[in-house]
Amino acid sequence: MEKQKLLYEGKAKKVYTTQDPKLLIVAYKDDATAFNGQKKGTIQGKGAINNRMTNLLMSRLEREGIPTHLVEELSARETLVKKVSIVPLEVIVRNIAAGSFSKRYGVEEGLVFNAPTLEFSYKNDALGDPLLNDDHAVALGLASREELALIRKYALVVNEVLGRIWADCGVTLVDFKVEFGRLGDGTIVLADEISPDTCRLWDAKTKEKLDKDRFRRDLGGVEEAYVRVMERLTNGL
Ligand code: TMP
Ligand code: ASP
């Protein structure tokens, strides 16, 4: 399958059409942004790592019964995926307090929850991705109640499966963001990416951050963290 025309360019990926109207090619970039695009930079080698990691994790999730948009990896940075229309919700699951949760509710990073929390943000850069509840999502016509229930169910299974995979690699899955899309017939599938850009991953022993927080917070060692966490995954699988 070959790239035809650029359909969309996001902050971290480009999406191309193909000869098949039901399939798209995603190309991962090394560009990194944070704080709704206010901070910009490059993480050398990130595109290839995020492509590989997303595909490894989505294949595992497929085997555990989660439908995804993945078709096949085409090259180091490119993957063939099913065309979806993205449900404009950022679905965030947290196991440990960090980031915006800690800030919003005034709790220290590292507080371990008894059970995972799930929240939705409205995927809308102009509004700064505001937090919203099910009623708001339905009122705005972003998804139906049935779709929201399915998305919640899938997101919690994703958390269980990914939590286990990372634990086996000596890494703690603190939190993550996923996105879902609708196929032509309305079927909900997991889409977008699962990578150190979209997950908080801490070394289980030292609690060292092995994800994009190193870039967001200017902690240094950004490229090294992506390489190391990818090595952990491939050695652990
Ligand atoms: P938060 O604590 O900043 O709300 O982030 C929660 C999780 O979502 C974290 O793993 C990083 C991820 N995330 C994204 O993937 N994209 C985003 O735009 C933001 C703000 C967070
Ligand atoms: N990618 C997001 C942005 O640039 C934010 C983040 O991941 O922190 O807005």
Side-chain angles (χ1 to χ4, degrees):
M1 204 62 74
E2 305 264 306
K3 288 184 289 210
Q4 279 190 332
K5 74 174 214 304
L6 181 65
L7 184 65
Y8 170 79
E9 177 159 5
K11 287 180 271 201
K13 298 185 283 298
K14 291 181 183 178
V15 181
Y16 296 89
T17 59
T18 67
Q19 303 91 292
D20 185 333
K22 289 188 167 164
L23 299 177
L24 298 173
I25 291 175
V26 176
Y28 286 76
K29 307 189 285 185
D30 285 350
D31 299 353
T33 64
F35 314 118
N36 203 8
Q38 287 177 65
K39 182 183 172 98
K40 289 192 174 69
T42 303
I43 303 175
Q44 215 77 47
K46 166 172 94 78
I49 289 173
N50 287 6
N51 183 43
R52 197 81 253 278
M53 188 181 290
T54 296
N55 295 339
L56 283 172
L57 295 174
M58 284 205 186
S59 313
R60 281 287 292 266
L61 288 164
E62 282 275 358
R63 280 191 262 147
E64 305 276 349
I66 301 294
T68 77
H69 72 164
L70 176 64
V71 179
E72 69 171 320
E73 191 166 296
L74 298 176
S75 66
R77 285 173 186 274
E78 293 179 0
T79 294
L80 188 65
V81 299
K82 293 176 189 162
K83 182 174 184 167
V84 298
S85 91
I86 289 285
V87 178
L89 292 173
E90 302 210 329
V91 182
I92 298 164
V93 180
R94 303 176 190 270
N95 299 298
I96 296 178
S100 70
F101 186 97
S102 289
K103 199 167 165 211
R104 182 175 306 116
Y105 302 114
V107 291
E108 60 174 314
E109 279 206 343
L111 174 76
V112 180
F113 303 145
N114 290 326
T117 70
L118 189 151
E119 74 205 37
F120 296 126
S121 291
Y122 179 19
K123 209 172 131 60
N124 183 319
D125 281 344
L127 299 176
D129 298 340
L131 199 63
L132 90 184
N133 68 22
D134 287 38
D135 289 345
H136 301 151
V138 172
L140 292 168
L142 308 182
S144 68
R145 297 256 172 218
E146 294 70 30
E147 287 176 326
L148 292 174
L150 189 60
I151 286 172
R152 271 176 195 281
K153 192 176 97 178
Y154 284 162
L156 292 173
V157 175
V158 169
N159 184 47
E160 271 180 41
V161 174
L162 295 186
R164 250 188 285 131
I165 293 173
W166 283 115
D168 288 345
C169 304
V171 173
T172 302
L173 177 63
V174 174
D175 58 30
F176 63 91
K177 182 269 298 182
V178 280
E179 296 181 21
F180 292 85
R182 297 182 188 96
L183 298 177
D185 67 358
T187 305
I188 296 280
V189 300
L190 182 65
D192 195 49
E193 67 179 279
I194 308 173
S195 71
D197 277 18
T198 62
C199 302
R200 284 197 174 90
L201 302 165
W202 294 355
D203 181 287
K205 283 212 187 81
T206 66
K207 309 245 186 329
E208 189 188 355
K209 296 183 197 324
L210 300 171
D211 58 63
K212 193 176 162 189
D213 269 350
R214 302 204 75 86
F215 169 80
R216 295 189 188 98
R217 302 178 187 188
D218 295 322
L219 299 177
V222 185
E223 277 87 359
E224 293 82 349
Y226 277 69
V227 169
R228 280 171 53 211
V229 81
M230 184 67 211
E231 279 171 3
R232 293 277 195 96
L233 183 63
T234 40
N235 295 337
L237 277 177

